[in-house]
Amino acid sequence: MRDRAGYSLLEVLIAFAIMALVLAVLIPGQASLLHRTRDAGAALLAADYAASRIDALGALEPVHIGRKETIYRDWTVFEDTTLENLTHGGSPVYRVLVVVQTASGEPLARLESLRLLR
């Protein structure tokens, strides 16, 4: 019998079968990892937007006591501003709560802050 260089058809088929099994195990894990990464990115962006809304109140726009609902992207943003029974140097203190939710109602971010009303 002669020595031949290369692989037989059976060896190649076994290698493809092993590679297919490994990919079948890895691909669902990668899909869930991508899904979690997308959700984490959305939560980070929502928290950043909520922080910017809190910072804008009193600085860029007047403070309105009460509840306000707006739409940003495909999110619903709730801003709840209430007066507190606190004073700091004669200035009243108000509490701002900003909640960002998805269209399905799942909360993405919730930030709360106490601010001075000037």
Side-chain angles (χ1 to χ4, degrees):
M1 186 171 205
R2 280 188 324 186
D3 269 346
R4 293 183 310 179
Y7 298 102
S8 70
L9 180 60
L10 182 61
E11 291 170 329
V12 172
L13 289 175
I14 290 173
F16 276 130
I18 291 171
M19 193 167 41
L21 288 174
V22 168
L23 288 176
V25 169
L26 291 179
I27 288 176
Q30 290 295 320
S32 69
L33 181 63
L34 288 174
H35 181 68
R36 286 187 306 197
T37 302
R38 186 192 69 213
D39 290 347
L44 181 63
L45 184 60
D48 187 48
Y49 181 74
S52 70
R53 290 299 310 143
I54 287 176
D55 289 341
L57 287 175
L60 300 176
E61 57 190 60
V63 176
H64 296 288
I65 305 300
R67 186 175 180 111
K68 183 172 134 181
E69 180 179 334
T70 57
I71 302 294
Y72 177 72
R73 294 180 152 219
D74 58 342
W75 303 332
T76 304
V77 181
F78 298 101
E79 296 175 17
D80 193 14
T81 307
T82 57
L83 277 175
E84 293 294 313
N85 291 330
L86 304 170
T87 57
H88 183 270
S91 297
V93 176
Y94 63 97
R95 180 181 306 272
V96 180
L97 171 66
V98 177
V99 178
V100 180
Q101 294 180 346
T102 62
S104 62
E106 178 184 339
L108 286 174
R110 182 182 192 278
L111 288 178
E112 191 171 3
S113 177
L114 291 175
R115 308 297 297 262
L116 290 176
L117 185 60
R118 297 182 189 148

